[in-house]
Structures are given as structure tokens and as C-alpha cells.
Amino acid sequence: MTNNVKTGEDFRALLRSLIGRFEDPGTDVPELDDILLRWADSLPDRAPEPGWPGLADQLLGALNAPSAGPAEPAPLGGRRPVASSGELRALLRGLAADYARDRAWRVDRQARGQWAGDGGGWASASLTGFLESWEAWLGARLGRSAVLPGVQPIEPVTWASVARQLGAARVYE
């Protein structure tokens, strides 16, 4: 898949394309924590702000990278501000561990015959669901006034706004 992303709407179209790709029967869909770890492994310590094209390159690179395997389950912990690629890398690793913790919770509940719907920290239990949440959240936010009380803008796309997008996609339904 090539990166033709220049705008937020282009990025949403990329997410929709990826969702469609992973919904095809017979497609091997990686676990979200694996993708988050691949993404973290590909980020340099220092890099310029990504913009929409850089964010698309990072996501596509993570999807095409060799598997990093599952993350070790751990709670996300305290949120720290993200202002660099190195700090985003740390957040991605934390998100991967938190997703693995949430998955282990769901598997344990299901193994005991208990309902595992609501209750975890993640709105989506799959990579496809996460991409759908991310796309929907962007659809609700793009084009909105950047001056909303208490709401940080997502454009321009900075390391901090990527962190906000990922945090929102984690819980957005």
C-alpha cells in the first residue's frame, strides 16, 4: 500500500482502506499490541513532527514490519506529556502492554464462562476495531473549530496530537 496522505481526510481514507483489507476473509490480522510494538521499534529517538504523511508512513511501516510478538501485560500507568518521537515510542509500548493486559482480562473472563463485554479499558478488542475507532474519532474531530475549551487541536499533527489520537482511539466507540 502506498502513502498518498496529505490531509486528515486522506488519513481517514487510509484507515478505511486498512479496515477493509483486514475485514477480507482469510486475511491474517495481527494483534494490536504487536502493531504498537512494531511502531515503537521503528521510531527514532528524535525526529521532526510527523504531519499526516509521516503518521501514515509510521502506521504503514508498522503494519509491514516483521512481528514483534505479543506485549507483556501491564497497566498503562500515568500519562506523561508526549513532545518527541522518543516519548511517543514509550507511549506506544505502554499502550501495547495495556492492550495485552486488557486481552488477558477478556480471555480469563471468557475461560470462566463470564461475560467479557464492557469492563476492559479498551473499546475495541482487535486491530480492526481500533482502526475503526480511530477513523470515527477523526471524523468527529476534523474540521471542528480548533478553539474548543479544554480540547487540544489535532492539527498540525505533532507527536502530542498523535498521542491524543491514539488515546482517543483506545476508548472511542
Side-chain angles (χ1 to χ4, degrees), residues 5-94:
V5 172
K6 294 184 181 16
T7 67
E9 288 302 326
D10 293 342
F11 189 77
R12 285 185 66 212
L14 172 65
L15 292 174
R16 287 189 299 271
S17 175
L18 291 170
I19 293 162
R21 176 175 128 191
F22 290 128
E23 287 178 338
D24 281 344
T27 301
D28 185 29
V29 181
E31 287 287 342
L32 178 56
D33 56 330
D34 181 30
I35 296 301
L36 294 170
L37 290 175
R38 293 181 204 185
W39 187 352
D41 289 346
S42 71
L43 284 175
D45 285 334
R46 297 202 180 276
E49 301 289 359
W52 291 115
L55 180 56
D57 282 340
Q58 291 171 27
L59 180 59
L60 291 171
L63 290 168
N64 292 319
S67 175
E72 288 295 320
L76 186 55
R79 299 240 177 151
R80 297 180 203 140
V82 172
S84 69
S85 56
E87 290 168 345
L88 182 65
R89 182 181 339 106
L91 175 66
L92 288 164
R93 288 184 177 140

